[in-house]
C-alpha cells in the first residue's frame, strides 16, 4: 500500500542552533573570560521583554554574562553613552521599538560600532548593502551583520541551499528566492544579503514587488534593485525554490496554491505565516528561527570581542617595536 504521508522535512531551529553553539563555545575557550552583554529595555512591549529574558537565559547557559538595564526611554540616550564608555561592557543590545519613529534610528547610531552586536551602526549597514564583507584592508575582521537576516542565512547554509562548490560570495547563484516582508530591520537587509550572495530575490511588500540581483552572470559587485510594476505574489512564488516569510500578523498566510512544488519554506515571523498544509507541498519547512537568532547574537558578540583583542595585541606589538632602540648601521 502506498505511503500517503507528506514527504516534507520539518527542520527545527534548535537543531540548527546546536552546530552554531559549538562554534561559539570553541571561540570562548580562547578568550578565557565571560564577555558581558548589556541589554537596554525601555518599552512596555511584552515581546521585547520576552526577547530580553530569552537573551539573558541563553547568555547564562553558554558562558556569557548578561545584564538587563531597564531605563526610561528619555534617559536611554545617556545610558547608551555611558555603556559605550564602560570598558567592562563588551556588547550592547537595545530592545526596539522604543519611540517607534526616526528617533529609534538615531538611537541605533549612538551605540559604539565596537559594541554593536546587532549590526545596526551606519558602517555595518553601509558594508552590508555595498557587499563589503570585512572591516580591514587585510580582510581578517568580518563586518557584523544584523542578527535575524544572518540567522536566515545560517539556516540556508545548514539546509545546503548554498552551493559550496561555487566561490565564496557567489554560492546562491541559480537560486530564486521570494522574501515576503521589506522592513528595514529584516526584510530589505535579508533580500540584499541573499542577492549579494548571487540569488535572484523577489522582495514582496504590501504594495509592490522588487527584484534584487547582481545582473546576468553576477557581473556586478553588489546587488541592484529593479522595480517590477504590476507584479504580485502570483508572479513571484511560482518561480521561487525558496520562500521566506515574515509578515507580523496572525491573519496572513502564504497562498499555498502559488508555491512551487518542493519549495523550501522558512517562517521568521512571530506568527505562523504558513498554514499546516504547507507540508503537503514544500520539501523543507522551518516554522521558526528564534533560537538561531539568539545564537547568532552571541556569535556576533564573540566576534566583537575577538576583534577587540586582536586590535589590542596589534597595538601592543607596535608599541613594543617602537620602543626597541634602532641599531645604527
Amino acid at each position: 500500500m502506498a505511503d500517503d504521508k507528506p514527504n516534507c522535512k520539518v527542520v527545527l531551529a534548535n537543531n540548527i542552533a546546536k552546530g552554531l553553539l559549538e562554534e561559539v563555545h570553541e571561540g570562548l575557550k580562547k578568550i578565557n573570560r565571560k564577555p558581558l552583554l548589556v541589554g537596554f529595555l525601555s518599552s512596555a512591549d511584552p515581546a521585547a521583554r520576552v526577547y530580553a529574558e530569552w537573551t539573558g537565559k541563553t547568555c547564562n547557559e553558554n558562558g556569557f554574562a548578561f545584564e538587563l538595564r531597564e531605563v526610561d526611554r528619555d534617559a536611554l540616550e545617556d545610558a547608551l553613552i555611558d555603556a559605550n564608555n564602560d570598558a567592562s561592557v563588551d556588547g550592547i543590545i537595545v530592545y526596539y521599538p522604543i519611540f517607534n519613529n526616526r528617533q529609534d534610528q538615531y538611537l541605533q547610531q549612538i551605540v559604539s560600532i565596537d559594541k554593536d552586536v546587532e549590526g545596526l551602526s551606519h558602517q555595518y549597514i553601509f558594508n552590508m548593502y555595498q557587499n563589503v564583507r570585512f572591516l580591514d584592508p587585510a580582510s581578517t575582521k568580518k563586518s557584523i551583520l544584523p542578527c535575524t537576516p544572518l540567522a536566515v542565512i545560517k539556516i540556508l547554509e545548514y539546509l545546503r541551499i548554498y552551493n559550496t562548490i561555487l566561490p565564496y560570495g557567489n554560492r546562491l547563484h541559480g537560486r530564486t528566492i521570494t522574501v515576503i516582508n521589506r522592513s528595514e530591520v529584516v526584510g530589505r537587509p535579508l533580500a540584499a544579503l541573499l542577492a549579494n550572495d548571487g540569488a535572484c530575490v523577489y522582495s514582496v511588500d504590501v504594495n509592490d514587488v522588487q527584484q534584487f540581483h547582481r545582473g546576468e552572470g553576477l557581473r556586478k559587485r553588489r546587488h541592484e534593485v529593479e522595480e517590477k510594476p504590476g507584479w504580485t505574489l502570483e508572479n513571484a512564488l511560482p518561480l521561487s525554490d525558496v520562500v521566506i516569510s515574515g509578515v507580523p500578523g496572525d491573519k496572513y498566510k502564504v497562498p499555498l496554491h502559488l508555491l512551487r512544488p518542493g519549495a523550501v519554506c522558512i517562517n521568521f515571523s512571530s506568527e505562523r505565516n504558513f498554514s499546516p498544509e504547507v507540508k503537503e507541498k514544500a520539501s523543507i519547512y522551518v516554522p521558526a528561527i528564534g533560537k538561531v537568532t539568539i545564537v547568532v547574537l552571541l556569535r556576533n558578540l564573540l566576534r566583537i570581542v575577538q576583534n577587540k583583542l586582536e586590535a589590542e595585541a596589534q597595538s601592543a606589538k607596535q608599541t613594543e617595536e617602537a620602543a626597541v632602540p634602532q641599531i645604527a648601521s
Side-chain angles (χ1 to χ4, degrees):
M1 184 176 177
D3 186 356
D4 59 358
K5 290 183 179 178
N7 287 316
C8 178
K9 174 73 172 177
V10 178
V11 179
L12 301 180
N14 190 47
N15 295 332
I16 304 169
K18 285 177 182 176
L20 292 171
L21 267 179
E22 290 175 6
E23 177 188 328
V24 169
H25 291 159
E26 284 302 310
L28 269 182
K29 290 177 184 176
K30 299 173 184 176
I31 291 177
N32 204 27
R33 70 176 178 85
K34 285 187 174 184
L36 172 60
L37 176 64
V38 173
F40 286 92
L41 186 61
S42 299
S43 79
D45 183 357
R49 181 170 294 278
V50 169
Y51 187 28
E53 291 172 352
W54 201 5
T55 308
K57 183 175 184 291
T58 308
C59 281
N60 294 326
E61 289 176 349
N62 291 284
F64 292 81
F66 179 76
E67 181 182 324
L68 182 62
R69 299 179 184 176
E70 299 194 39
V71 179
D72 184 85
R73 67 182 191 173
D74 293 322
L76 180 58
E77 182 175 349
D78 289 338
L80 290 174
I81 293 170
D82 289 342
N84 284 341
N85 296 327
D86 186 346
S88 70
V89 176
D90 294 299
I92 296 171
I93 178 172
V94 182
Y95 296 101
Y96 296 102
I98 297 166
F99 293 93
N100 216 11
N101 56 29
R102 287 182 64 86
Q103 196 164 345
D104 283 6
Q105 296 175 24
Y106 167 68
L107 291 170
Q108 290 170 3
Q109 302 313 312
I110 289 178
V111 177
S112 167
I113 190 173
D114 298 320
K115 301 188 180 187
D116 177 18
V117 296
E118 296 182 279
L120 299 176
S121 298
H122 170 74
Q123 185 65 57
Y124 292 145
I125 296 295
F126 176 86
N127 286 0
M128 176 184 67
Y129 283 118
Q130 290 293 319
N131 201 14
V132 177
R133 299 178 183 238
F134 295 90
L135 295 170
D136 60 327
S139 298
T140 61
K141 297 178 182 177
K142 279 192 173 182
S143 195
I144 301 297
L145 295 173
C147 296
T148 303
L150 181 55
V152 174
I153 285 172
K154 290 299 171 186
I155 289 168
L156 292 174
E157 288 179 348
Y158 177 90
L159 299 177
R160 300 184 182 178
I161 304 301
Y162 276 74
N163 185 348
T164 55
I165 294 175
L166 296 176
Y168 173 71
N170 291 345
R171 290 177 174 172
L172 287 179
H173 191 195
R175 294 292 189 184
T176 301
I177 301 174
T178 288
V179 178
I180 308 171
N181 171 304
R182 201 184 303 137
S183 70
E184 293 300 318
V185 179
V186 184
R188 192 162 80 94
L190 177 58
L193 288 168
L194 297 174
N196 282 342
D197 277 339
C200 166
V201 182
Y202 294 111
S203 172
V204 180
D205 204 19
V206 65
N207 295 318
D208 60 7
V209 176
Q210 295 177 342
Q211 184 181 9
F212 289 55
H213 61 87
R214 278 174 48 203
E216 187 176 349
L218 307 187
R219 290 186 174 88
K220 299 183 182 297
R221 184 189 60 80
R222 60 175 291 268
H223 76 280
E224 60 182 29
V225 180
E226 180 184 336
E227 300 289 342
K228 305 295 287 184
W231 274 50
T232 67
L233 278 175
E234 289 192 6
N235 304 96
L237 285 185
L239 302 175
S240 302
D241 41 21
V242 179
V243 177
I244 305 166
S245 186
V247 177
D250 59 352
K251 303 295 185 189
Y252 179 77
K253 300 296 177 189
V254 175
L256 297 185
H257 70 282
L258 297 176
L259 281 180
R260 186 174 177 174
V264 172
C265 297
I266 299 172
N267 176 68
F268 69 81
S269 171
S270 57
E271 307 289 345
R272 293 291 171 93
N273 284 179
F274 295 91
S275 64
E277 290 74 25
V278 70
K279 289 178 278 190
E280 302 289 339
K281 204 162 188 182
S283 60
I284 300 172
Y285 174 46
V286 182
I289 72 164
K291 291 187 177 179
V292 179
T293 303
I294 292 286
V295 176
V296 164
L297 177 71
L298 298 185
R299 191 172 176 271
N300 279 355
L301 175 56
L302 178 63
R303 176 160 287 158
I304 281 175
V305 174
Q306 289 169 334
N307 287 349
K308 177 183 175 182
L309 293 175
E310 288 172 11
E312 289 173 352
Q314 186 65 28
S315 177
K317 182 180 178 183
Q318 291 172 350
T319 302
E320 185 179 319
E321 289 174 350
V324 175
Q326 299 298 312
I327 300 173
S329 56

